[in-house]
Amino acid sequence: FPWKHPLRILTLAALWVERLFFTLSSVLFLILSLGTMAFLTYLSVHFYGRVALDEGLLYHFQRVDHRHNYSIYWYWIYLARGRASEALNRMTLNGTGASEGLAKTTFSPQMGFLGHIPLIPQIIILGFTSLGIAPYDMTLALFCQTFAFVAFNKVTTAQYFTWYLCLLPLCADRIQWRSKRMILSLTFLLVSIATWLLSAFTLEMLGWTSHRQVWLASVLFFIANVNLLSAILNGYKKKKTTVLMSTPGAGWATGRNKAKLS
């Protein structure tokens, strides 16, 4: 990624904007995607009321689950819920209504602001993959975006892994799976998963007070994911990206030009 070359970043950004907003296929895709989503959302709200909008969409922007969560943020969520519960109990004892107390604690402006801080790394990663990877290989960019989104998310449960695994076959042939770095990275990831599962078992099944151990296992799992993504990008760069580096936008080429690049 050309961090030290601002003009090149601007060139890639201009290319990205041009392909997104000034080509017929991209505009049609954007309009049809947003239109379909808006139409289906309208139907849901029409038949089921505001609860459809809250539970179907808005809930996921403020979701803070602390159970079965691989995320590095789960322990902060757990402690925040505990403090909110204690404050709610104090308000109840002081005569404040339960619903009013819940609104003041769980959904306070401070909690809402802190809850959106983890979105910042995700936005940065999204910009990096959009400008630094997508112009050269769109399918790899889709995989990396989804992989990074899951790794940096506030909530990461086991079914989230299928989000990026289903995209892996699209770019698996350009990844050096047999390299020493990749084998070590995959081994590290498996060890981190096993460590997390063992720690979670002691907490949820045996009832041990091993919350910090589970959090440390979550940190280890996060590091393993970042290390694996780095190994994928480094392995890909050695094999392929050096050839395409002089032709930004190759990943969006069509027809005869794309055939030459592949």
Side-chain angles (χ1 to χ4, degrees), residues 28-183:
L28 285 176
F29 178 78
L30 182 64
I31 294 175
L32 291 175
S33 299
L34 294 179
T36 302
M37 180 179 176
F39 176 70
L40 294 177
T41 302
Y42 170 78
L43 288 181
S44 300
V45 175
H46 176 74
F47 286 107
Y48 301 101
R50 176 59 186 257
V51 65
L53 183 63
D54 292 335
E55 299 295 335
L57 291 177
L58 301 181
Y59 164 74
H60 296 280
F61 290 98
Q62 57 187 9
R63 182 182 178 186
V64 283
D65 295 348
H66 68 279
R67 289 186 177 275
H68 319 294
N69 189 355
Y70 287 79
S71 173
I72 57 176
Y73 302 108
W74 85 266
Y75 193 44
W76 166 74
I77 295 172
Y78 173 77
L79 295 177
R81 279 178 171 267
R83 286 193 292 267
S85 178
E86 291 178 358
L88 178 61
N89 291 334
R90 288 195 299 269
M91 289 183 177
T92 303
L93 292 176
N94 292 335
T96 305
S99 59
E100 181 182 352
L102 182 63
K104 290 182 178 180
T105 54
T106 308
F107 304 105
S108 64
Q110 182 180 7
M111 286 295 297
F113 172 76
L114 293 177
H116 288 88
I117 289 180
L119 294 176
I120 298 176
Q122 291 179 311
I123 294 174
I124 294 175
I125 292 294
L126 180 63
F128 166 76
T129 52
S130 297
L131 297 178
I133 302 177
Y136 306 101
D137 193 323
M138 179 64 74
T139 55
L140 179 68
L142 292 173
F143 171 78
C144 292
Q145 283 182 348
T146 311
F147 187 96
F149 176 83
V150 172
F152 284 81
N153 203 26
K154 290 187 298 183
V155 179
T156 305
T157 54
Q159 65 266 27
Y160 284 28
F161 303 156
T162 60
W163 292 3
Y164 57 79
L165 288 177
C166 67
L167 298 172
L168 184 58
L170 300 177
C171 57
D173 60 324
R174 278 100 70 194
I175 299 174
Q176 296 181 354
W177 296 107
R178 298 183 180 181
S179 66
K180 182 179 179 181
R181 169 78 186 276
M182 181 60 65
I183 294 174

